[in-house]
Amino acid sequence: LELALAGRHQQENAATAVAALSHIRSDPRALRIQPRAQMITASAIQLGLQKTQWPGRCSWIKLAGHAMGTTSDIPLLVDGAHNESAAVSLMNYIDSIRTDEPIVFVIALSHSPPKTPLTVLRPMLTRIRRTDKVLPVQFSTPVAGMPWISNVPSIDIQAAVIACGLSRNQIVDSHIATTPTLQEGLQIAMQAQKWGFAVVTGSLYLVADAYRLAAE
């Protein structure tokens, strides 16, 4: 089977989906509830896996260079890894594709107790190389229809970075007084260092900002 989604964890997810569909289309109880399930063919499942798109899950997008003040497009790996298991899956994918070029991890988190920045980011930060950088940013607020959603302060993300054993010079512009937006942060990162690509992660709200920025 050919799978469009990136990452080994998506192979496991696809296997679960195929097993469930195989059962549903042949189980008498399931067919009594939904007789049309028997029309799900093996070729339909195969085609579905080939064409499935899941924005914000190990997805690649490009920002137009002119929008960022550069002459070349900017590749972004976007993944809303907002919990420990998702962070592990993201890093497994990154480790499978990365080269010697440094990576900048652009991170924003939504305030969501009892999760803490350290518990969410530890699986990611403990596997970052010494040549990589971390850039705390903020996603756009207010979030439509959810005024209670707020950003975790940049200082708390920086504290998690230090707690995971990274040096302070791995935090891009840790001295700035205000937390940059995604666009501002990427412009700062481009000026600070040449990198292979940027990873936009930590919050699906930040991922949404990345897609909006790419559409401009």
Side-chain angles (χ1 to χ4, degrees), residues 55 61-64 67-68 76 78 138-144 146 149 151 181-183 186 200 203-216:
I61 61 177
K62 284 187 177 181
L63 300 185
M68 301 298 295
L76 298 181
V78 293
Q138 60 179 330
F139 55 80
S140 301
T141 54
V143 176
M146 293 183 287
I149 300 296
N151 283 273
T181 64
L182 175 60
Q183 184 172 11
L186 289 172
V200 177
S203 169
L204 287 169
Y205 303 114
L206 182 64
V207 167
D209 281 348
Y211 277 94
R212 281 191 286 266
L213 192 57
E216 293 179 357

Side-chain angles (χ1 to χ4, degrees), residues 63-143:
L63 300 185
H66 65 81
M68 301 298 295
T70 67
T71 56
S72 57
D73 292 343
I74 302 168
L76 298 181
L77 172 60
V78 293
D79 188 284
H82 52 84
N83 57 49
E84 295 175 73
S85 60
V88 170
S89 295
L90 172 60
M91 289 307 297
N92 288 342
Y93 175 64
I94 290 174
D95 288 344
S96 73
I97 63 166
R98 71 173 300 161
T99 63
D100 291 334
E101 292 184 295
I103 298 172
V104 57
F105 289 79
V106 185
I107 299 173
L109 296 172
S110 60
H111 183 65
S112 182
K115 292 192 298 184
T116 68
L118 185 58
T119 59
V120 174
L121 297 176
R122 182 187 288 114
M124 183 186 309
L125 297 176
T126 53
R127 293 168 63 176
I128 287 178
R129 295 180 182 177
R130 291 295 176 183
T131 55
D132 297 334
K133 300 287 187 180
V134 176
L135 173 58
V137 297
Q138 60 179 330
F139 55 80
S140 301
T141 54
V143 176

Side-chain angles (χ1 to χ4, degrees), residues 45-65:
I45 294 174
Q46 184 178 28
L47 184 62
L49 293 177
Q50 291 174 353
K51 293 185 174 296
T52 296
Q53 300 296 317
W54 197 346
R57 297 297 185 184
C58 287
S59 304
W60 286 94
I61 61 177
K62 284 187 177 181
L63 300 185

